[in-house]
């Protein structure tokens, strides 16, 4: 019970060196490249899920937007697999680190904005000033729209960090409470354990949903700029 509540969010080290890069690269092992004429069931299911997700996510994009298909699919696979692996006991979840999430959100957001200013300059600039705006409100609206534009990558990163961190904290707290109640009240401990199982199932869903939401928002930013 004296364990630090946030100890699971500390970047792990080996011989004084951070091993977060190895942890980030580990999910790529779960998605091997098919090298057979007939794939096994696991790879077939993976390919079916990737095709289903890409078809749903890219249906709103034009030809320029569909060139981002590989980037978007790689993003959702990385975030989803990292979130799921983080639910294993004594594991580390890189997506609980705001620095990593900002490192993904800012370049992707900046890429969509640059694409918009390059291919749709007038439409991109028109977002800063809606048509029919009164003359006195023009400076204020330009400032507000500029702030809302630059806050988009922060919202992406903070949303993912907050949801994953909150889930891990709840699991840690309820798990610690279950262990503490084992010697006090077995019935209460069993009820708490059932709640812990249900929360773990919910966290599996949250891990996948947050990966989808992050990628979907990047896709929508891209759609607005292509």
């Amino acid at each position: 019970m004296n364990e630090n509540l946030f100890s699971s969010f500390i970047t792990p080290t080996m011989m004084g060196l951070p091993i977060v890069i190895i942890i980030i690269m580990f999910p790529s092992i779960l998605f091997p490249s098919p090298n057979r004429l007939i794939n096994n069931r696991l790879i077939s299911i993976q390919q079916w899920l990737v095709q289903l997700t890409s078809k749903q996510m890219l249906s709103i994009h034009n030809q320029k937007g569909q060139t981002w298909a590989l980037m978007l699919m790689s993003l959702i696979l990385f975030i989803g697999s990292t979130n799921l692996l983080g639910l294993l006991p004594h594991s580390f979840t890189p997506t609980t680190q705001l620095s990593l999430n900002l490192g993904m959100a800012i370049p992707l957001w900046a890429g969509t904005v640059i694409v918009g200013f390059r291919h749709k300059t007038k439409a991109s600039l028109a977002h800063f000033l809606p048509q029919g705006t009164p003359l006195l409100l023009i400076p204020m609206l330009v400032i507000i729209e500029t702030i809302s534009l630059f806050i988009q990558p922060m919202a992406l990163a903070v949303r993912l960090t907050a949801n994953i961190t909150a889930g891990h904290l709840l699991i840690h707290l309820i798990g610690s409470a279950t262990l503490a109640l084992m010697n006090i009240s077995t019935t209460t401990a069993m009820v708490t354990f059932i709640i812990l199982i249900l929360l773990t199932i919910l966290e599996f869903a949250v891990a996948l949903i947050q990966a989808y939401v992050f990628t979907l928002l990047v896709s929508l930013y891209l759609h607005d700029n292509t």
Side-chain angles (χ1 to χ4, degrees):
M1 295 297 293
N2 295 326
E3 183 183 358
N4 184 6
L5 186 62
F6 296 94
S7 60
S8 59
F9 303 113
I10 300 175
T11 304
T13 58
M14 181 180 295
M15 301 177 63
L17 299 175
I19 58 173
V20 66
I21 297 178
I22 300 175
I23 297 174
I24 291 174
M25 295 174 60
F26 181 74
S28 61
I29 304 175
L30 303 177
F31 303 99
S33 301
N35 53 7
R36 299 179 180 178
L37 183 62
I38 301 177
N39 298 322
N40 57 31
R41 294 179 181 178
L42 178 60
I43 295 181
S44 298
I45 293 174
Q46 288 178 353
Q47 290 180 341
W48 176 74
L49 289 174
V50 169
Q51 290 175 359
L52 181 65
T53 307
S54 61
K55 182 178 179 181
Q56 182 178 1
M57 192 169 295
L58 297 174
S59 59
I60 61 174
H61 289 284
N62 55 20
Q63 188 174 1
K64 291 180 181 177
Q66 290 179 359
T67 58
W68 285 54
L70 181 59
M71 176 70 74
L72 295 176
M73 288 301 102
S74 301
L75 181 66
I76 191 172
L77 288 175
F78 170 73
I79 298 177
S81 58
T82 303
N83 291 345
L84 290 176
L85 288 173
L87 293 173
L88 296 175
H90 303 287
S91 60
F92 173 73
T93 312
T95 47
T96 58
Q97 306 296 313
L98 183 61
S99 56
L100 173 68
N101 296 333
L102 283 173
M104 293 188 295
I106 292 177
L108 292 170
W109 165 83
T112 60
V113 172
I114 291 172
V115 168
F117 277 105
R118 181 180 179 183
H119 298 288
K120 296 172 62 177
T121 306
K122 292 183 179 180
S124 298
L125 292 175
H127 287 295
F128 293 96
L129 188 62
Q131 188 175 5
T133 303
L135 188 62
L136 294 176
L137 296 179
I138 288 178
M140 184 181 298
L141 279 179
V142 170
I143 294 174
I144 292 174
E145 292 296 329
T146 304
I147 294 174
S148 65
L149 177 66
F150 282 96
I151 210 171
Q152 288 177 353
M154 286 293 297
L156 276 177
V158 171
R159 181 187 295 107
L160 179 59
T161 304
N163 281 282
I164 301 302
T165 303
H168 282 270
L169 287 176
L170 279 175
I171 291 176
H172 181 83
L173 288 172
I174 296 178
S176 301
T178 304
L179 290 175
L181 290 170
M182 288 292 291
N183 299 325
I184 302 174
S185 174
T186 307
T187 305
T188 308
M190 288 300 297
V191 173
T192 313
F193 181 68
I194 293 173
I195 295 175
L196 179 62
I197 293 176
L198 295 176
L199 180 62
T200 304
I201 296 173
L202 177 64
E203 281 304 306
F204 272 99
V206 169
L208 297 176
I209 290 172
Q210 288 304 315
Y212 180 76
V213 168
F214 189 98
T215 311
L216 180 63
L217 289 175
V218 174
S219 176
L220 292 177
Y221 296 156
L222 178 64
H223 175 66
D224 292 338
N225 289 284
T226 54

